[in-house]
Amino acid sequence: MAPPVEYYLLLSAAVFCIGLFGILTRRNALMFLMSVELMLNAANINFIAFSFQHGNLTGQVFSLFTMALAAAEVAVGIGIILVLYRNFQDVDVTKAATMRW
Amino acid sequence: MFEYAPAVALLPFVSFLIALSVGSYMPKKGAFAGIAATGGSLLLSVWAFVTVSGGEVYNEPDLFTWVAAEELSLSFGILIDPLSAMMLIIVSLVAFLVHVFSLGYMNDEGETGLPRYYAELGLFTFSMLAFVYASNLLMAFMFFELVGLCSYLLIGFWFRTESAASAAKKAFLVTRFGDYFFLIGVIGVIATFGTAQFAGQESFPVLAEHALVDGETEAMTTFLGLGEQAWVTLLGMLVLGGVIGKSAQYPLHTWLPDAMEGPTTVSALIHAATMVAAGVYLVARMYGFYALSPTVLTFIAFVGGFTALFAATMGVIKDDIKRVLAYSTISQYGYMMLGLGAGGFVAGSFHLMNHAFFKALLFLGSGSVIVLMHHEQDMWEMGGLKDKAPATYYTFLAGSLALAGIIPFSGFWSKDEILFEALHYGLGNQPLLLGAYAMGLVAVFFTGFYTFRMVFLTFHGDPRSDTARDPHPVGWSVKVPLVVLGLLATFIGFVNMVPVADLLNMDIEFLHQWLDGPEETVTSVHHYEELVHDAAGFEAADIGPYLPGALSLGLALAGAGLAHMLYNVPDPEPHTEKLGNIRTLLKRNYYQDEYQVWIAEGLTLPVARAANKFDRTVVDGAVNGISRVSLDSGSRLKQVQTGVVTNYAALLTFGLVALLVVVGLYGGWF
């Protein structure tokens, strides 16, 4: 007997909030990247849960796409972090503010 | 022949281009191009003259269409009738002789900047010739302005001296002041009649005549609630503004004496045939329009008579030979205006022609004197040049006799005819013309006096300086133009000897017949005379031409005689210094410059300052205020961009939350 969809949604909301909290409070770029991953996966949980609920595969296909996208995003993100480190000798995102006005 | 007519003006334009582009590589720095071009223009003008005398009049109003709208089209055209054919010859002949004279006056004296000089002369001649045969008022206005520009350039030829630059600027600004009214007049004429043609059945003088004489008022549209007569008078006055500026009539005459800062050859061209003549020629060109308004005619005559006297008195005490001639020019153009205003179209045109020849002669003669004297212009440094330079002396004397109006030299015949016209209409029913006549008559005495004061001081008596004892010789290029003009100044008056024609009862008023044309058209003298009589209502008194002629001749001789008594002595004294305060008044030119400067500084400058202030504070303030508001708000708003990623993420999040709350509240989720 599978658990009802509300539990999945609760889990997804919890993961999303953890990710959001991470983005708003952490200064380390790696933690940033991880938080973004958490938020993406919270969305994936939703997709899968609703896919299961409705009994079709559309949501699962979507989540596969999201995972591929997340992989690409991480590659780009790591690249940015490397350049950030090279220029500022640090991975603190608040320091990279020289391009503003 | 008339298909070559555009070439009359275009030849000097080509010489302008040649002198401007390759003049510095040519022998004589472009002079030959100018001589060839003006010579060609002269030949073509003579050809045109011969063709016109064969009974053909060329009126091609639409040679080049400039603006073609449904209601109104503006075009360039050519009008060659007896008046413009005569004027074409005068202009191209004087320009040709001035170019030849320049070889001796400019090239031989080692002037620099000669390509520029010849280019400007070419452009000047081109503009004047095009002005002369312009077929409509707008085209005339354009070339009128171009003539003004060229005189600015040429007066300021020696622009490195401060006085020349300032004189050029003054000439430009003063004539521009008059031209401003002219421009309004041109627009007014086009708006009123829908055309600006000078001649033909659809021309504006004819339409105005239909409206005023025949009562066909639908031919014209008046504005400002004025009647037809008042509106025609106003238009005439507006156009007259340009004439007064260009022809140096009171009160816009002040630029002309200062224009003596240019080379003497340029003065000859400006005074005899181009710039100054343009104003009077314009009055003659649209005489059919002026003849409709007795008010404007009387005004022209009065201004002319007043200017003739006014300028002549100032000429009496000048010591610079060119300045004396400058004041005589103003005075003589006053006579022409007097003649035209007094209904004497032939008399005014006649004097225009005679004056062109004798004034060109006098200026070139004074140029020759200046070469003789190593560029000394003060007459008190001269004296005794009579024996050293006989060619200059005798030609200059012929010009002086013509200027003073002594029988049988050309000036006598035309001046006498002008005064006669003014007198016989004045005694008829125009008493105001009698005032103008009186002023013109008194001016004859002063003219005789200052002319011969100049001749005696320059050529007679003992030499008063070393250069006068041993003058610099002049070459053929100086003498030939002088001799040609000397002959013309002596004999050209014979073409219209009214008193002799009356005495012998012979038909020898050739100029009158010439201007009448082969058949009666709207620009022939016969038509103008009818208009002056019918439309303007001038009635002529029945008087003979002998007594007024004798009177003016007597006055001229008296003036010359007084000059002879005072100055034709071996060692003349400066008698004018005995005049005391009057001399100071005359020396300062009746304080005309001072009051005009005062108007400019006391009235125009504060107004301009106030306008400037308004522009800078109110207009600029509004524009700058708007830009400052956006600039300031932009610089405040940009503080939001911290560059810290966390802040952006927070903004995104809170923005999304706020959006959700708003959508939820309005969407009724709760």
CSV table of all heavy atoms in Angstrom, one decimal, chain B residues 465-498:
chain,number,residue,atom,x,y,z
B,465,SER,N,53.5,116.5,-51.3
B,465,SER,CA,54.3,115.4,-50.7
B,465,SER,C,55.3,114.9,-51.6
B,465,SER,O,55.3,115.2,-52.9
B,465,SER,CB,53.4,114.3,-50.2
B,465,SER,OG,52.9,113.6,-51.3
B,466,ASP,N,56.3,114.1,-51.1
B,466,ASP,CA,57.3,113.6,-52.0
B,466,ASP,C,56.8,112.6,-53.0
B,466,ASP,O,57.2,112.6,-54.2
B,466,ASP,CB,58.4,112.9,-51.2
B,466,ASP,CG,59.2,113.9,-50.4
B,466,ASP,OD1,59.2,115.1,-50.8
B,466,ASP,OD2,59.7,113.5,-49.3
B,467,THR,N,55.8,111.8,-52.6
B,467,THR,CA,55.3,110.8,-53.6
B,467,THR,C,54.5,111.6,-54.7
B,467,THR,O,54.5,111.1,-55.8
B,467,THR,CB,54.3,109.8,-52.9
B,467,THR,OG1,53.6,110.5,-51.9
B,467,THR,CG2,55.1,108.7,-52.3
B,468,ALA,N,53.9,112.7,-54.4
B,468,ALA,CA,53.1,113.5,-55.4
B,468,ALA,C,54.1,114.1,-56.4
B,468,ALA,O,53.8,114.4,-57.5
B,468,ALA,CB,52.3,114.6,-54.7
B,469,ARG,N,55.3,114.4,-55.9
B,469,ARG,CA,56.3,115.0,-56.8
B,469,ARG,C,56.9,113.9,-57.8
B,469,ARG,O,57.2,114.2,-58.9
B,469,ARG,CB,57.5,115.6,-56.0
B,469,ARG,CG,57.4,117.1,-55.9
B,469,ARG,CD,58.4,117.6,-54.8
B,469,ARG,NE,57.6,118.4,-53.9
B,469,ARG,CZ,57.5,118.2,-52.6
B,469,ARG,NH1,58.1,117.2,-52.1
B,469,ARG,NH2,56.8,119.0,-51.9
B,470,ASP,N,57.0,112.7,-57.3
B,470,ASP,CA,57.5,111.6,-58.1
B,470,ASP,C,56.6,110.4,-58.1
B,470,ASP,O,56.9,109.4,-57.4
B,470,ASP,CB,58.9,111.3,-57.6
B,470,ASP,CG,59.5,110.2,-58.4
B,470,ASP,OD1,59.2,110.1,-59.6
B,470,ASP,OD2,60.4,109.4,-57.9
B,471,PRO,N,55.5,110.5,-58.8
B,471,PRO,CA,54.5,109.4,-58.7
B,471,PRO,C,55.0,108.1,-59.4
B,471,PRO,O,55.8,108.2,-60.3
B,471,PRO,CB,53.2,110.0,-59.3
B,471,PRO,CG,53.7,111.1,-60.2
B,471,PRO,CD,55.0,111.6,-59.7
B,472,HIS,N,54.4,107.0,-59.0
B,472,HIS,CA,54.6,105.7,-59.5
B,472,HIS,C,53.9,105.7,-60.9
B,472,HIS,O,52.7,106.0,-60.9
B,472,HIS,CB,54.0,104.7,-58.5
B,472,HIS,CG,54.2,103.3,-58.9
B,472,HIS,ND1,53.5,102.7,-59.8
B,472,HIS,CD2,55.0,102.3,-58.3
B,472,HIS,CE1,53.8,101.4,-59.9
B,472,HIS,NE2,54.7,101.2,-59.0
B,473,PRO,N,54.5,105.2,-62.0
B,473,PRO,CA,53.8,105.2,-63.2
B,473,PRO,C,52.7,104.1,-63.3
B,473,PRO,O,52.8,103.1,-62.5
B,473,PRO,CB,54.9,104.9,-64.3
B,473,PRO,CG,55.9,104.2,-63.5
B,473,PRO,CD,55.9,104.7,-62.1
B,474,VAL,N,51.7,104.3,-64.1
B,474,VAL,CA,50.7,103.2,-64.3
B,474,VAL,C,50.7,102.7,-65.7
B,474,VAL,O,51.1,103.3,-66.6
B,474,VAL,CB,49.3,103.8,-64.0
B,474,VAL,CG1,49.1,104.1,-62.5
B,474,VAL,CG2,48.9,105.0,-64.8
B,475,GLY,N,50.3,101.4,-65.8
B,475,GLY,CA,50.4,100.7,-67.1
B,475,GLY,C,49.2,100.8,-67.9
B,475,GLY,O,48.2,101.5,-67.6
B,476,TRP,N,49.2,100.1,-69.1
B,476,TRP,CA,48.1,100.1,-70.0
B,476,TRP,C,46.8,99.6,-69.4
B,476,TRP,O,45.7,100.0,-69.7
B,476,TRP,CB,48.4,99.3,-71.3
B,476,TRP,CG,48.6,97.9,-71.0
B,476,TRP,CD1,49.8,97.2,-70.7
B,476,TRP,CD2,47.6,96.9,-71.0
B,476,TRP,NE1,49.5,95.9,-70.5
B,476,TRP,CE2,48.2,95.6,-70.7
B,476,TRP,CE3,46.2,96.9,-71.3
B,476,TRP,CZ2,47.5,94.5,-70.6
B,476,TRP,CZ3,45.5,95.7,-71.2
B,476,TRP,CH2,46.1,94.5,-70.8
B,477,SER,N,47.0,98.6,-68.5
B,477,SER,CA,45.7,97.9,-68.0
B,477,SER,C,45.0,98.9,-67.1
B,477,SER,O,43.8,98.7,-66.9
B,477,SER,CB,46.1,96.7,-67.3
B,477,SER,OG,47.0,97.0,-66.2
B,478,VAL,N,45.6,99.9,-66.7
B,478,VAL,CA,44.9,101.0,-65.9
B,478,VAL,C,44.3,102.0,-66.9
B,478,VAL,O,43.2,102.5,-66.7
B,478,VAL,CB,45.9,101.6,-64.9
B,478,VAL,CG1,45.3,102.9,-64.3
B,478,VAL,CG2,46.2,100.6,-63.8
B,479,LYS,N,45.1,102.4,-67.9
B,479,LYS,CA,44.7,103.5,-68.8
B,479,LYS,C,43.6,103.1,-69.7
B,479,LYS,O,42.6,103.9,-69.9
B,479,LYS,CB,45.9,103.9,-69.6
B,479,LYS,CG,46.9,104.7,-68.7
B,479,LYS,CD,48.1,105.2,-69.6
B,479,LYS,CE,49.1,105.8,-68.7
B,479,LYS,NZ,50.4,105.8,-69.3
B,480,VAL,N,43.6,101.9,-70.3
B,480,VAL,CA,42.6,101.5,-71.3
B,480,VAL,C,41.2,101.5,-70.7
B,480,VAL,O,40.3,102.2,-71.3
B,480,VAL,CB,42.9,100.1,-71.9
B,480,VAL,CG1,41.7,99.6,-72.7
B,480,VAL,CG2,44.1,100.2,-72.7
B,481,PRO,N,40.9,100.9,-69.5
B,481,PRO,CA,39.6,101.0,-68.9
B,481,PRO,C,39.2,102.5,-68.7
B,481,PRO,O,38.0,102.9,-68.9
B,481,PRO,CB,39.6,100.3,-67.6
B,481,PRO,CG,40.8,99.3,-67.8
B,481,PRO,CD,41.7,100.0,-68.7
B,482,LEU,N,40.1,103.3,-68.2
B,482,LEU,CA,39.8,104.7,-68.0
B,482,LEU,C,39.4,105.4,-69.2
B,482,LEU,O,38.4,106.2,-69.2
B,482,LEU,CB,41.0,105.4,-67.4
B,482,LEU,CG,41.4,105.1,-65.9
B,482,LEU,CD1,42.6,105.8,-65.5
B,482,LEU,CD2,40.2,105.4,-65.0
B,483,VAL,N,40.1,105.2,-70.3
B,483,VAL,CA,39.8,105.9,-71.6
B,483,VAL,C,38.4,105.4,-72.1
B,483,VAL,O,37.5,106.2,-72.4
B,483,VAL,CB,40.9,105.6,-72.6
B,483,VAL,CG1,40.4,106.1,-74.0
B,483,VAL,CG2,42.2,106.3,-72.2
B,484,VAL,N,38.1,104.1,-72.0
B,484,VAL,CA,36.8,103.6,-72.5
B,484,VAL,C,35.7,104.2,-71.7
B,484,VAL,O,34.7,104.8,-72.2
B,484,VAL,CB,36.8,102.1,-72.3
B,484,VAL,CG1,35.4,101.6,-72.6
B,484,VAL,CG2,37.8,101.4,-73.3
B,485,LEU,N,35.9,104.2,-70.3
B,485,LEU,CA,34.8,104.8,-69.5
B,485,LEU,C,34.7,106.3,-69.6
B,485,LEU,O,33.7,106.9,-69.6
B,485,LEU,CB,35.1,104.4,-68.0
B,485,LEU,CG,34.8,102.9,-67.7
B,485,LEU,CD1,35.3,102.6,-66.4
B,485,LEU,CD2,33.3,102.7,-67.8
B,486,GLY,N,35.9,106.9,-69.9
B,486,GLY,CA,35.9,108.4,-70.1
B,486,GLY,C,35.1,108.8,-71.3
B,486,GLY,O,34.3,109.7,-71.2
B,487,LEU,N,35.2,108.0,-72.4
B,487,LEU,CA,34.4,108.3,-73.6
B,487,LEU,C,33.0,108.1,-73.3
B,487,LEU,O,32.1,108.9,-73.6
B,487,LEU,CB,34.9,107.4,-74.7
B,487,LEU,CG,36.3,107.7,-75.2
B,487,LEU,CD1,36.7,106.7,-76.3
B,487,LEU,CD2,36.3,109.1,-75.8
B,488,LEU,N,32.7,107.0,-72.6
B,488,LEU,CA,31.3,106.7,-72.3
B,488,LEU,C,30.7,107.8,-71.4
B,488,LEU,O,29.5,108.3,-71.6
B,488,LEU,CB,31.1,105.4,-71.6
B,488,LEU,CG,31.2,104.2,-72.5
B,488,LEU,CD1,31.3,102.9,-71.7
B,488,LEU,CD2,29.9,104.1,-73.4
B,489,ALA,N,31.4,108.2,-70.4
B,489,ALA,CA,30.9,109.2,-69.4
B,489,ALA,C,30.6,110.5,-70.2
B,489,ALA,O,29.8,111.3,-69.8
B,489,ALA,CB,31.8,109.4,-68.3
B,490,THR,N,31.4,110.8,-71.2
B,490,THR,CA,31.3,112.1,-71.9
B,490,THR,C,30.1,112.0,-72.9
B,490,THR,O,29.3,112.9,-72.9
B,490,THR,CB,32.5,112.4,-72.7
B,490,THR,OG1,33.6,112.2,-71.8
B,490,THR,CG2,32.5,113.7,-73.3
B,491,PHE,N,29.9,110.9,-73.6
B,491,PHE,CA,29.0,110.9,-74.7
B,491,PHE,C,27.7,110.1,-74.4
B,491,PHE,O,26.8,110.3,-75.2
B,491,PHE,CB,29.7,110.3,-75.9
B,491,PHE,CG,30.8,111.1,-76.4
B,491,PHE,CD1,32.1,110.7,-76.3
B,491,PHE,CD2,30.6,112.4,-76.9
B,491,PHE,CE1,33.2,111.5,-76.7
B,491,PHE,CE2,31.7,113.2,-77.3
B,491,PHE,CZ,32.9,112.7,-77.2
B,492,ILE,N,27.6,109.3,-73.4
B,492,ILE,CA,26.4,108.4,-73.3
B,492,ILE,C,25.2,109.2,-73.0
B,492,ILE,O,24.1,108.8,-73.3
B,492,ILE,CB,26.7,107.3,-72.2
B,492,ILE,CG1,25.7,106.2,-72.3
B,492,ILE,CG2,26.6,107.9,-70.8
B,492,ILE,CD1,25.9,105.3,-73.4
B,493,GLY,N,25.4,110.4,-72.4
B,493,GLY,CA,24.2,111.3,-72.2
B,493,GLY,C,23.4,111.7,-73.4
B,493,GLY,O,22.3,112.1,-73.3
B,494,PHE,N,24.1,111.6,-74.6
B,494,PHE,CA,23.4,112.1,-75.8
B,494,PHE,C,22.3,111.2,-76.2
B,494,PHE,O,21.6,111.5,-77.1
B,494,PHE,CB,24.4,112.2,-76.9
B,494,PHE,CG,25.5,113.2,-76.6
B,494,PHE,CD1,26.8,113.1,-77.2
B,494,PHE,CD2,25.2,114.3,-75.8
B,494,PHE,CE1,27.7,114.1,-76.9
B,494,PHE,CE2,26.2,115.3,-75.6
B,494,PHE,CZ,27.4,115.2,-76.1
B,495,VAL,N,22.1,110.0,-75.6
B,495,VAL,CA,21.1,109.1,-76.0
B,495,VAL,C,19.7,109.6,-75.5
B,495,VAL,O,18.7,109.1,-76.0
B,495,VAL,CB,21.3,107.7,-75.5
B,495,VAL,CG1,22.5,107.1,-76.1
B,495,VAL,CG2,21.2,107.6,-74.0
B,496,ASN,N,19.6,110.5,-74.6
B,496,ASN,CA,18.3,111.0,-74.2
B,496,ASN,C,18.3,112.5,-73.8
B,496,ASN,O,18.2,112.8,-72.6
B,496,ASN,CB,17.9,110.1,-73.0
B,496,ASN,CG,16.4,110.0,-72.9
B,496,ASN,OD1,15.7,109.9,-74.0
B,496,ASN,ND2,15.8,110.1,-71.7
B,497,MET,N,18.6,113.3,-74.8
B,497,MET,CA,18.7,114.8,-74.5
B,497,MET,C,17.3,115.4,-74.6
B,497,MET,O,16.9,115.9,-75.6
B,497,MET,CB,19.6,115.4,-75.4
B,497,MET,CG,21.0,114.9,-75.3
B,497,MET,SD,22.2,115.8,-76.3
B,497,MET,CE,21.7,115.3,-78.0
B,498,VAL,N,16.5,115.4,-73.5
B,498,VAL,CA,15.2,115.9,-73.5
B,498,VAL,C,15.1,117.4,-73.9
B,498,VAL,O,14.3,117.7,-74.7
B,498,VAL,CB,14.5,115.6,-72.1
B,498,VAL,CG1,13.1,116.2,-72.1
B,498,VAL,CG2,14.4,114.1,-71.9
